[in-house]
Structure formats: C-alpha cells, structure tokens
Amino acid sequence: MLEFLRTLEPQWRMAIIVLVVLALASVVLAVLRRARPERDYRELTARTRSWWIMASVFFAAVGLSNLLSIGFFALMSFWAMKEYITLLETRPADHGALVLAFLCIPVQYVWVAQEWYGMFVIFIPVYMFLGLATRLVLAGETRGFVSSMAQIHWGLMALVFGLSHMSYLLTADANPDLPGVDGRTLVLFLVFVVEMSDVFQYVWGKSFGRRKIIPTVSPNKTWEGLLGGIASTMLVSLAIRFLTPFSVLECLAVVLLVTVAGFFGGAVMSAIKRDFGVKDFGRLIPGHGGMLDRVDSLCFAAPVFFHYLAYFHYD
Amino acid sequence: MDGEPRTNPDVPRVDDVETWTHSGLQAFLQALFFVLIVRPFVLLFLGLRIRDRGRIPAGRRPFILIANHSSHLDTACLLNLFPIRRLRHLRPVAAADYFERNPFVSKLTRTLFHILPIDRTARRKDASGQTGADPRQRMLAALQAGQSLILFPEGTRGNANEVTRFRSGIAWLAQAMPEVPIVPIYLANLGRALPKGHFVPIPLFVEVRVGEPLLPRGDREEIRAALESAVKKLKDTP
C-alpha cells in the first residue's frame, strides 16, 4: 500500500490522505454515536458532512486546472466580501465605492491569471486605496467618511488581496529537484495545514480548554486549544512534507508561522463579528456558518505563507 | 394632460379586467425572463434569504402581499417567492405615471412583470371633475377576477432604513374584500443593494421576512395602522 502511494503524484497522494482522514472522522463519529447515544451530535454531523463537500469541491477545482482554481478562489473572495459588506452599516453615499469594491474582485484575479506579479501586489494596497477614497470623496458626503473609507478598504485587503495570495501560489513553477512539487501542491499544503489546525484547536479546546486567551473576543480560544492544536498540526504536517520543498525543521517552522497567523486571522474575524453583533457571517456551510467563518484563518495565513516562500524559495 | 380627456386606448377600463391578463405568449416570455434572468440574479448574485416562506397562502384563492418599498429590486424578489406557473395570477401594483411613461416601458413591464398599472393621481382628478379610472376599483376588479396583488402601501420608494406612513387604499381594499388575506412582508437590505437613484446593484444578502396572513377588521384608519405596524414589527425582528 505504501509502495503504491509512493508511485503516485503528490497531489493524488494528498487526495488519498484527505479521503482517509475524512473517512476516519466519519467512522469516529459513528462509533461515538453508538457508544454515547444520549449526546447531541447534530452540529458535529453537519460539520463532518460539510467537510466532505468542501474537500470534494476544493479537490475538483484545484485538481482540474489552474484557471478553474483561480475562478474558484475568486468566487470565495466574492462570497466572503458579500457577507462582510452585508454586515457593514454603509451609507447611501457609499454605493458607488461599493460597486467599485466588488468590481475589484474579478480584476485582482485577472492579474493572478496573467501572472502579473507587480500589479497583483500593488493593485489593492495602492491603486484601490487611492481609488476608493477618490470615489467616496466624489460622492460628497462627509459624515462617516473616514469610517466608510476604512471599512471598505479593509474588506478588500483581507478578503480579496489576502485570499488571492492562495491563488497566486498556483503559479509557482515545478521544482526540478522535487518532481511533482509545484504551486498546486503548495496550495494543498497550506489549506490542509490551516484547516487541520482549526480542527485540532477546536478539539483540544473542547476537551482541555481552560485558560482563555482573549475572553472578550472569543471564549472558545484557549491556550490549551491553541498550543495543542499547533503541536498536533506540526506533527501531522510531517506526513505531507512531500508536497513542499521543506526540510523537516523548516516544515515545522513554517507550520508554526502559518498556524499562528491563522489563529490571529480567526481572532480578528471573531472581533469583527462581535462588533457587528452576529454569531456567524452567513449560513452557506451547514455547521460552520458562512464562507468567511471558514476562510477567516486563511485570510491571514495565505499572505504570510506566500511571502515566506517568495522570500526563501522563489525569488 | 390638463383638460384633455383620457383617450389613451392602452389604459384599460375596469370592466376589461379579463382582457388585461397575460396572453399565452406574454406568459411564456415572462416565464423565460424569470428562469433565465431573475432567478439566477436573485439566487446567485443577491443570495436571497427567505424567512417563514410557509406563511404565504398556497392554492388558488387570491391574497394581497404588502411590503415596504425601497428599491427597484423589490418586485422581482417578491415574485421570486413563487413557482413560475403561479406568476400569471400575480399582479404587482405599479404606478402608471412611472411604469407606463412610454409605450416601450409599458409593454416591457406589463409583459415581464405582469404589472397592474394604476394612476396614482386619478382620484385627485376625480375631485376636480375629470375622468380617470379609480385605482381602487381596478385592484378590486383584479381580486374579483381571482388574481393576487403585490402592493407597496407606502406608495413610493422610501429609503432603506425606515417604513414610511402607509396610504389608506389598502385599508379600503381590505374592507371591500374582507375574506382576502393580507400578508405583511418586510424586505431587508434591498434599499442598500440598489438605492433609489442608482442603476448598478451590489450583491448584498437580502432578506424577505414573511408575517402571518391577516384579516384585519375595523375602520379604515385602524386597518391602515394595523397593517403598517405589522410590517414595522417584521422589520424589528431580525
């Protein structure tokens, strides 16, 4: 079996691993249900089922073609922006700027598809930073001006610029020394690490969580959850090191970096939800909430992972 | 318009009620328009959320949907609550002075939305001795012909955040047809998705909140106020 796995290309090896992990989760859930039928498993069941669907959709998109995956990531940004902007208390005068903000989504992903790196890294941070302010000032409403300018641009930065780094990873060339390791496998590695870390933090937090890290933001984020989650993710990541150009030590360091960034991404989004007075950003994914509840960690982890690679491996 | 008798043959008389329902071709074009454009737009672009859809009366008995009005998208969202085959029995009541402003717009809105055009100024002219179809009679005729109405009792599009005072026409209808249920609806966020004066919508999540169907009793002012507060109550229960 292991010999057979070794002969497969890394991405298919990864698909089999994810399949096994999900099957294992479903089996554990079924056993738990039989062993302790008195407990309520509805949320866990919904979550597990959603994981199956998300993994299938993700592998279908990433597996088929790079262009399709870029389209898929653009849709993720679109949906996340939709959820975020819906919760903002925008003014009627913001309409034009909001139209502009939504138009940025396809444009940003066109730079990705063209592999125009220079434009990709400055379009939203520089041009849209100026463009949104310009559009807002033309609308002529000064009351609430700063707040609108900041809120709309922050959304673009996190949900469009941040997430789009994931798709730009796809353009990384294959490494001649490591056959099969390319942009696609790096995306798989990043997403697997971030999502496993979320799951592990949830499980550790539920089981042993006592000391809250930021109780005013999220009562569910505990030191036990965070440290247990990161340690477990580091261990598990060694099994999928074949997706990356990393040595063992580097792999552990990168996972630490990515999971800590992801943790703060999740915490920031929790703070935003608190501020808006909502529990979830949406209800797209049963058991999880909205798109933004699922990709919150990735908004922070993707740019950090991307720039680490760009600096040390792909100058 | 001043002093001229109304000779526009395009504006039907109340007793023509049967003739201004859809022809087969119009119904087909409307169905096509909804399947290809309105449905995908409302479901994928806006991502319409519907609360308590089950409160909308099923079956063929006529009813009246009343809602707050803040956007050109309101009618499309409300019609989207129904299966395509029921569209031909639904009449969004629309201002003739706006939606019948030229023959092209008139043809378009009548075919694609199956509107029931009413003259918002007709009764004022009545008082000054001129002829004009009483909009209330026309709505009554449609109900009696077995059609259901979609009505915005504020009488015009307001802003996104408040429900303005309802006009009393709806109360008159409720008294004239006391057995027809009135379903209050609050449309949330539509005024933000496409505010008055703008033509490019933004893809916000919008919500349709359906209230319990009502059979209001009392004098006209009581009914008017009761319906207005029913819609406002839905607004305040997020």
Side-chain angles (χ1 to χ4, degrees):
Chain A
M1 180 67 193
L2 275 176
E3 279 311 304
F4 165 71
L5 272 179
R6 265 181 238 284
T7 62
L8 284 174
E9 277 186 55
Q11 49 181 335
W12 296 119
R13 242 191 280 178
M14 190 59 197
I16 291 178
I17 290 175
V18 170
L19 203 70
V20 170
V21 170
L22 284 175
L24 217 62
S26 292
V27 168
V28 168
L29 187 64
V31 170
L32 270 177
R33 238 198 221 148
R34 186 150 304 181
R36 292 173 156 181
E38 71 282 1
R39 286 210 192 167
D40 184 5
Y41 291 104
R42 268 174 303 183
E43 197 199 329
L44 223 49
T45 310
R47 271 182 187 239
T48 312
R49 185 176 304 150
S50 294
W51 275 121
W52 276 102
I53 296 169
M54 286 189 287
S56 314
V57 172
F58 183 68
F59 268 99
V62 177
L64 286 174
S65 84
N66 272 5
L67 206 59
L68 193 72
S69 346
I70 291 171
F72 174 74
F73 290 130
L75 263 181
M76 273 170 59
S77 281
F78 170 74
W79 209 264
M81 268 295 270
K82 199 168 145 57
E83 290 173 344
Y84 173 76
I85 301 286
T86 298
L87 290 178
L88 292 187
E89 283 181 9
T90 56
R91 312 165 304 159
D94 295 338
H95 195 79
L98 291 170
V99 170
L100 193 62
F102 276 104
L103 284 177
C104 284
I105 303 171
V107 176
Q108 170 74 355
Y109 283 91
V110 165
W111 309 141
V112 177
Q114 291 186 328
E115 303 189 27
W116 187 358
Y117 181 74
M119 194 50 134
F120 162 78
V121 286
I122 64 168
F123 176 60
I124 288 173
V126 179
Y127 293 136
M128 286 328 294
F129 171 73
L130 306 174
L132 277 177
T134 307
R135 182 65 190 83
L136 278 170
V137 85
L138 286 175
E141 174 65 79
T142 51
R143 188 179 294 238
F145 181 80
V146 177
S147 159
S148 283
M149 201 164 60
Q151 292 184 41
I152 301 172
H153 194 251
W154 195 88
L156 273 183
M157 284 297 288
L159 313 176
V160 183
F161 184 64
L163 279 182
S164 69
H165 281 80
M166 214 167 20
S167 60
Y168 209 91
L169 275 179
L170 289 168
T171 63
D173 292 327
N175 188 328
D177 304 331
L178 300 159
V181 172
D182 58 9
R184 206 179 283 193
T185 61
L186 291 171
V187 170
L188 291 177
F189 179 80
L190 170 69
V191 173
F192 188 79
V193 163
V194 170
E195 301 304 325
M196 279 317 275
S197 157
D198 277 1
V199 171
F200 278 132
Q201 286 181 39
Y202 174 82
V203 172
W204 279 86
K206 280 259 166 186
S207 316
F208 306 105
R210 300 181 77 102
R211 279 170 283 256
K212 296 182 172 63
I213 304 176
I214 359 176
T216 51
V217 173
S218 168
N220 297 325
K221 296 200 190 309
T222 57
W223 283 107
E224 292 80 359
L226 177 64
L227 297 178
I230 291 180
S232 314
T233 312
M234 285 165 109
L235 263 180
V236 168
S237 71
L238 294 178
I240 54 164
R241 202 165 55 88
F242 61 84
L243 296 169
T244 69
F246 305 146
S247 66
V248 171
L249 213 62
E250 189 181 14
C251 181
L252 293 176
V254 169
V255 170
L256 181 65
L257 187 69
V258 163
T259 49
V260 169
F263 170 81
F264 284 111
V268 166
M269 296 300 172
S270 294
I272 290 177
K273 283 186 278 190
R274 285 262 147 155
D275 193 7
F276 290 151
V278 295
K279 194 178 151 286
D280 287 326
F281 278 107
R283 32 190 122 148
L284 177 70
I285 315 170
H288 295 260
M291 172 67 79
L292 204 35
D293 295 291
R294 194 60 274 147
V295 301
D296 51 2
S297 324
L298 278 170
C299 293
F300 275 42
V304 170
F305 182 66
F306 178 90
H307 287 294
Y308 175 87
L309 281 165
Y311 193 78
F312 289 106
H313 290 270
Y314 295 86
D315 32 36
Chain B
M1 289 270 266
D2 276 4
E4 272 180 326
R6 294 172 65 94
T7 52
N8 183 357
D10 217 34
V11 175
R13 292 155 53 86
V14 171
D15 43 41
D16 294 338
V17 64
E18 291 299 336
T19 66
W20 26 279
T21 60
H22 263 165
S23 69
L25 177 65
Q26 282 179 310
F28 175 73
L29 288 175
Q30 188 190 20
L32 211 61
F33 175 63
F34 267 76
V35 170
L36 296 181
I37 296 172
V38 177
R39 285 272 141 112
F41 173 82
V42 169
L43 297 179
L44 301 176
F45 184 77
L46 289 180
L48 184 72
R49 296 166 175 170
I50 303 164
R51 211 170 68 190
D52 297 319
R53 185 187 214 142
R55 288 175 172 174
I56 294 173
R60 294 288 298 275
R61 310 281 298 272
F63 53 85
I64 305 173
L65 295 188
I66 56 166
N68 59 314
H69 198 20
S70 55
S71 163
H72 274 323
L73 302 174
D74 292 351
T75 306
C77 283
L78 288 173
L79 286 172
N80 207 63
L81 298 171
F82 299 90
I84 302 288
R85 66 193 143 72
R86 285 186 79 183
L87 289 181
R88 55 184 314 160
H89 302 293
L90 287 157
R91 305 300 298 267
V93 177
D97 51 275
Y98 190 82
F99 291 100
E100 306 256 277
R101 58 184 180 274
N102 66 53
F104 176 71
V105 175
S106 165
K107 204 79 190 158
L108 206 68
T109 50
R110 285 200 192 186
T111 302
L112 300 182
F113 291 99
H114 201 188
I115 62 165
L116 182 65
I118 57 162
D119 187 349
R120 286 189 284 197
T121 58
R123 289 185 61 228
R124 249 176 284 155
K125 275 191 246 160
D126 270 348
S128 63
Q130 288 174 23
T131 52
D134 185 337
R136 304 179 305 184
Q137 293 293 346
R138 191 175 260 188
M139 291 190 271
L140 190 62
L143 284 173
Q144 281 163 348
Q147 301 179 327
S148 296
L149 300 181
I150 291 176
L151 194 65
F152 299 109
E154 291 168 280
T156 186
R157 280 177 299 154
N159 76 33
N161 299 321
E162 57 179 331
V163 179
T164 53
R165 185 184 163 84
F166 277 17
R167 310 283 186 90
S168 60
I170 178 65
W172 184 90
L173 269 182
Q175 285 181 326
M177 300 279 284
E179 73 286 0
V180 172
I182 300 179
V183 188
I185 288 182
Y186 181 72
L187 299 168
N189 254 352
L190 273 151
R192 286 178 64 210
L194 185 61
K196 212 168 176 168
H198 289 276
F199 296 94
V200 183
I202 53 169
L204 298 181
F205 285 103
V206 299
E207 192 169 82
V208 176
R209 298 179 194 152
V210 185
E212 291 285 0
L214 304 168
L215 293 169
R217 299 284 179 265
D219 68 32
R220 210 173 309 164
E221 174 53 26
E222 283 167 4
I223 296 178
R224 191 203 64 75
L227 294 174
E228 185 183 308
S229 72
V231 171
K232 282 184 171 159
K233 206 176 115 199
L234 290 168
K235 173 182 191 264
D236 299 331
T237 50

